[in-house]
PDB file of all heavy atoms in Angstrom:
ATOM      1  N   LEU L 574     -94.174 159.342-158.328  1.00  0.00           N
ATOM      2  CA  LEU L 574     -95.342 159.422-159.194  1.00  0.00           C
ATOM      3  C   LEU L 574     -96.295 160.486-158.638  1.00  0.00           C
ATOM      4  O   LEU L 574     -96.299 160.770-157.441  1.00  0.00           O
ATOM      5  CB  LEU L 574     -96.049 158.071-159.249  1.00  0.00           C
ATOM      6  CG  LEU L 574     -95.254 156.922-159.889  1.00  0.00           C
ATOM      7  CD1 LEU L 574     -95.977 155.601-159.681  1.00  0.00           C
ATOM      8  CD2 LEU L 574     -95.030 157.184-161.370  1.00  0.00           C
ATOM      9  N   GLN L 575     -97.094 161.068-159.521  1.00  0.00           N
ATOM     10  CA  GLN L 575     -98.010 162.111-159.063  1.00  0.00           C
ATOM     11  C   GLN L 575     -98.959 161.560-158.005  1.00  0.00           C
ATOM     12  O   GLN L 575     -99.463 160.440-158.108  1.00  0.00           O
ATOM     13  CB  GLN L 575     -98.793 162.719-160.229  1.00  0.00           C
ATOM     14  CG  GLN L 575     -99.598 161.729-161.056  1.00  0.00           C
ATOM     15  CD  GLN L 575     -98.864 161.314-162.308  1.00  0.00           C
ATOM     16  OE1 GLN L 575     -97.676 161.063-162.258  1.00  0.00           O
ATOM     17  NE2 GLN L 575     -99.581 161.231-163.416  1.00  0.00           N
ATOM     18  N   ALA L 576     -99.212 162.369-156.991  1.00  0.00           N
ATOM     19  CA  ALA L 576     -99.983 161.927-155.825  1.00  0.00           C
ATOM     20  C   ALA L 576    -101.409 161.533-156.193  1.00  0.00           C
ATOM     21  O   ALA L 576    -101.995 160.654-155.550  1.00  0.00           O
ATOM     22  CB  ALA L 576     -99.997 163.030-154.767  1.00  0.00           C
ATOM     23  N   GLU L 577    -101.970 162.153-157.226  1.00  0.00           N
ATOM     24  CA  GLU L 577    -103.371 161.895-157.569  1.00  0.00           C
ATOM     25  C   GLU L 577    -103.548 160.690-158.502  1.00  0.00           C
ATOM     26  O   GLU L 577    -104.671 160.357-158.884  1.00  0.00           O
ATOM     27  CB  GLU L 577    -103.993 163.130-158.223  1.00  0.00           C
ATOM     28  CG  GLU L 577    -103.443 163.487-159.595  1.00  0.00           C
ATOM     29  CD  GLU L 577    -102.165 164.315-159.535  1.00  0.00           C
ATOM     30  OE1 GLU L 577    -101.590 164.441-158.435  1.00  0.00           O
ATOM     31  OE2 GLU L 577    -101.762 164.835-160.588  1.00  0.00           O
ATOM     32  N   LEU L 578    -102.461 160.014-158.871  1.00  0.00           N
ATOM     33  CA  LEU L 578    -102.541 158.892-159.808  1.00  0.00           C
ATOM     34  C   LEU L 578    -103.360 157.751-159.213  1.00  0.00           C
ATOM     35  O   LEU L 578    -103.116 157.322-158.085  1.00  0.00           O
ATOM     36  CB  LEU L 578    -101.132 158.401-160.160  1.00  0.00           C
ATOM     37  CG  LEU L 578    -101.044 157.229-161.142  1.00  0.00           C
ATOM     38  CD1 LEU L 578    -101.602 157.621-162.504  1.00  0.00           C
ATOM     39  CD2 LEU L 578     -99.595 156.771-161.278  1.00  0.00           C
ATOM     40  N   LYS L 579    -104.311 157.254-159.987  1.00  0.00           N
ATOM     41  CA  LYS L 579    -105.143 156.128-159.564  1.00  0.00           C
ATOM     42  C   LYS L 579    -104.989 154.984-160.551  1.00  0.00           C
ATOM     43  O   LYS L 579    -104.882 155.194-161.758  1.00  0.00           O
ATOM     44  CB  LYS L 579    -106.619 156.531-159.481  1.00  0.00           C
ATOM     45  CG  LYS L 579    -106.899 157.712-158.554  1.00  0.00           C
ATOM     46  CD  LYS L 579    -106.548 157.391-157.109  1.00  0.00           C
ATOM     47  CE  LYS L 579    -106.894 158.559-156.197  1.00  0.00           C
ATOM     48  NZ  LYS L 579    -106.487 158.300-154.794  1.00  0.00           N
ATOM     49  N   GLY L 580    -105.010 153.785-160.013  1.00  0.00           N
ATOM     50  CA  GLY L 580    -104.897 152.600-160.854  1.00  0.00           C
ATOM     51  C   GLY L 580    -106.231 151.890-160.987  1.00  0.00           C
ATOM     52  O   GLY L 580    -107.303 152.500-160.937  1.00  0.00           O
ATOM     53  N   VAL L 581    -106.174 150.572-161.161  1.00  0.00           N
ATOM     54  CA  VAL L 581    -107.370 149.761-161.358  1.00  0.00           C
ATOM     55  C   VAL L 581    -108.267 149.855-160.124  1.00  0.00           C
ATOM     56  O   VAL L 581    -107.806 149.734-158.983  1.00  0.00           O
ATOM     57  CB  VAL L 581    -106.967 148.302-161.629  1.00  0.00           C
ATOM     58  CG1 VAL L 581    -108.195 147.388-161.633  1.00  0.00           C
ATOM     59  CG2 VAL L 581    -106.234 148.202-162.961  1.00  0.00           C
ATOM     60  N   GLY L 582    -109.545 150.098-160.352  1.00  0.00           N
ATOM     61  CA  GLY L 582    -110.491 150.214-159.265  1.00  0.00           C
ATOM     62  C   GLY L 582    -110.334 151.463-158.433  1.00  0.00           C
ATOM     63  O   GLY L 582    -110.908 151.584-157.347  1.00  0.00           O
ATOM     64  N   GLY L 583    -109.538 152.423-158.912  1.00  0.00           N
ATOM     65  CA  GLY L 583    -109.335 153.665-158.193  1.00  0.00           C
ATOM     66  C   GLY L 583    -108.275 153.614-157.120  1.00  0.00           C
ATOM     67  O   GLY L 583    -108.045 154.604-156.416  1.00  0.00           O
TER      68      GLY L 583
END
Side-chain angles (χ1 to χ4, degrees):
L574 295 171
Q575 57 262 43
E577 68 276 11
L578 180 64
K579 303 297 183 183
V581 172

